[in-house]
């Protein structure tokens, strides 16, 4: 009985540690992308203050605070993110063909099972949703 308890405890610790390292690897990769993005922005800001770089930081912030970049990238805006979900660069233009609704409606009431779970767990405010839609529209045009 004591041996079974020790085996169970050892298996639990190994599974917990494995899960921790597995799921934090993606966060570490995202944080490295963020660090690279911030460093790039800082260097450019030091050389010349231009509005596009400030927008890049704001673009990153709205996607980051709403955890979009945990699963998605927006490559046309230079935003690296997770690879679990699709690149959102063309989502503004493609969403209606895939899901039958515009992007704003999709972000309010997703028609996919995965995004339904994500949005229900962390709904977007009206301001954040409007900003994300506008940025993804811009991303689709790039």
């Amino acid at each position: 009985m004591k041996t079974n308890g020790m085996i169970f405890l050892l298996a639990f610790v190994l599974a917990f540690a494995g899960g921790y390292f597995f799921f934090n690897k993606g966060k570490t990769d995202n944080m490295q992308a963020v660090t690279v993005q911030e460093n790039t922005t800082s260097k450019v800001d030091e050389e010349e203050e231009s509005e596009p770089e400030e927008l890049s930081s704001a673009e990153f912030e709205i996607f980051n605070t709403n955890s979009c970049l945990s699963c998605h990238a927006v490559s046309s805006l230079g935003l690296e993110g997770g690879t679990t979900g699709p690149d959102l660069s063309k989502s503004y233009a493609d969403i209606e063909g895939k899901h039958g609704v515009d992007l704003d409606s999709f972000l309010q009431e997703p028609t996919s099972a995965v995004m339904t779970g994500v949005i229900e767990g962390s709904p977007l405010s009206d301001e954040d949703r409007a900003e994300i839609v506008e940025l993804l529209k811009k991303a689709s045009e790039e």
Side-chain angles (χ1 to χ4, degrees), residues 24-92:
N24 278 336
K25 182 184 181 318
K27 290 182 181 176
T28 303
D29 292 344
N30 286 342
M31 292 306 293
Q32 289 173 345
V34 170
T35 303
V36 169
Q37 178 77 21
E38 289 176 351
N39 287 342
T40 303
T41 302
S42 296
K43 287 179 184 175
V44 173
D45 284 345
E46 290 172 4
E47 293 174 5
E48 62 180 86
E49 293 186 22
S50 62
E51 193 161 324
E53 294 305 321
E54 292 173 15
L55 285 175
S56 181
S57 179
E59 291 165 351
F60 167 75
E61 199 57 37
I62 191 69
F63 288 116
N64 193 40
T65 56
N66 289 294
S67 303
C68 304
L69 297 177
S70 298
C71 300
H72 302 278
V74 189
S75 60
S76 63
L77 296 178
L79 299 176
E80 295 182 26
T83 56
T84 306
D87 187 320
L88 298 178
S89 296
K90 300 293 180 195
S91 62
Y92 182 84

Side-chain angles (χ1 to χ4, degrees), residues 60-135:
F60 167 75
E61 199 57 37
I62 191 69
F63 288 116
N64 193 40
T65 56
N66 289 294
S67 303
C68 304
L69 297 177
S70 298
C71 300
H72 302 278
V74 189
S75 60
S76 63
L77 296 178
L79 299 176
E80 295 182 26
T83 56
T84 306
D87 187 320
L88 298 178
S89 296
K90 300 293 180 195
S91 62
Y92 182 84
D94 296 343
I95 193 88
E96 199 159 337
K98 287 183 178 179
H99 297 280
V101 293
D102 64 20
L103 185 57
D104 187 57
S105 299
F106 181 80
L107 291 174
Q108 290 178 50
E109 293 183 37
T111 56
S112 75
V114 173
M115 285 306 294
T116 297
V118 170
I119 295 294
E120 283 180 356
S122 182
L124 297 169
S125 69
D126 291 341
E127 295 84 23
D128 286 354
R129 193 177 63 250
E131 190 171 350
I132 288 169
V133 168
E134 193 60 36
L135 290 171

